[in-house]
């Protein structure tokens, strides 16, 4: 009987110790952070950055930089609120950049980082979605070296970036949901995105690169 009571006491002690450990302050749980409200934006779109776990009233310097060509950057100082939260909002430049890095540096020396992209060709599908094969080229006319990370497949709810010196092939699948068949690629009536074949009736089209703004392309399934 004494042995049983001893074992029960040890088990209770271990349980209490485990509970106590769960409540112990762990510095890694309170690391300052920063993030964007979206992973990908259109050129010129509004970006909102948010952060948490900074010191109350801490001054934080935020630098947003174009990682591709260093053609655009933003530097701003913000102050964390009483809960340690920070925020900053701004519009991206109207031209395509590709990828941005964000670095937040606090007066305490703490650093937090994140990244986001700005795709300038938005892809959708009528009677979709479907998975589209994308191949990005360093040169015009969908020829020349293929950029790193391509080809890849994206759903027609995503966007892809193509610079003015680049070109892009989009390959739509022959069939879509519920047995629907590919009909054509199309763009809004006032759209000015250049692609070949121009009638859009081929599943594979070559999109010419451009520098400013964003464009919309839709794969139609009937």
């Amino acid at each position: 009987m004494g042995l049983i009571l001893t074992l029960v006491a040890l088990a209770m002690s271990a349980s209490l110790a485990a509970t106590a450990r769960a409540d112990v302050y762990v510095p890694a749980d309170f690391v300052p952070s920063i993030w964007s409200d979206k992973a990908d934006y259109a050129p010129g779109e509004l970006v909102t950055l948010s952060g948490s776990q900074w010191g109350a009233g801490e001054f934080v310097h935020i630098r947003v930089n174009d990682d591709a060509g260093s053609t655009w950057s933003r530097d701003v100082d913000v102050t964390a609120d009483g809960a340690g939260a920070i925020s900053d909002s701004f519009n991206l430049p109207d031209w395509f950049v590709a990828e941005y890095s964000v670095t937040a540096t606090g007066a305490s020396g703490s650093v937090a980082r994140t990244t986001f992209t700005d795709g300038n060709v938005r892809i959708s599908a009528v009677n979709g979605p479907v998975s589209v094969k994308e191949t990005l080229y360093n040169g015009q006319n969908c020829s020349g070296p293929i950029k790193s990370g391509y080809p890849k497949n994206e759903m027609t709810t995503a966007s892809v970036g193509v610079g003015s010196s680049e070109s892009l092939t989009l390959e739509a699948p022959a069939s879509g949901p519920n047995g629907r068949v590919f009909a054509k690629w199309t763009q809004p009536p006032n759209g000015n995105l250049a692609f070949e074949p121009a009638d859009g009736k081929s599943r594979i089209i070559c999109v010419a690169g451009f520098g400013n703004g964003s464009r919309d392309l839709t794969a139609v399934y009937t």
Side-chain angles (χ1 to χ4, degrees), residues 10-11 14 24 26 30 39 43 48 55 59 87 92 108-109 112 115 119 127-128 131 165 179 191 194 201 209 211:
L10 288 172
V24 170
V26 179
F30 298 90
T48 298
F59 293 105
S87 64
L92 294 175
S108 63
T115 60
N127 297 318
S131 178
S165 62
K201 293 183 179 180

Side-chain angles (χ1 to χ4, degrees), residues 41-45 65-74 91-100 116-121 161-164 210-215:
Y41 301 86
E45 190 173 355
N65 187 48
D66 156 22
D67 275 358
S70 297
T71 59
W72 183 91
S73 63
R74 171 184 170 82
N91 287 89
L92 294 175
D94 289 334
W95 61 88
F96 168 66
V97 169
E99 185 170 358
Y100 293 86
F116 60 84
T117 57
D118 70 334
N120 57 353
V121 179
V162 53
S164 57
F210 56 94
N212 296 326
S214 59
R215 309 287 191 272

Side-chain angles (χ1 to χ4, degrees), residues 41-83:
Y41 301 86
E45 190 173 355
L46 178 69
V47 176
T48 298
L49 299 177
S50 302
S52 64
Q53 304 299 343
W54 299 90
E58 182 175 5
F59 293 105
V60 181
H61 180 79
I62 300 175
R63 177 170 177 79
V64 184
N65 187 48
D66 156 22
D67 275 358
S70 297
T71 59
W72 183 91
S73 63
R74 171 184 170 82
D75 288 274
V76 66
D77 294 304
V78 299
T79 303
D81 65 15

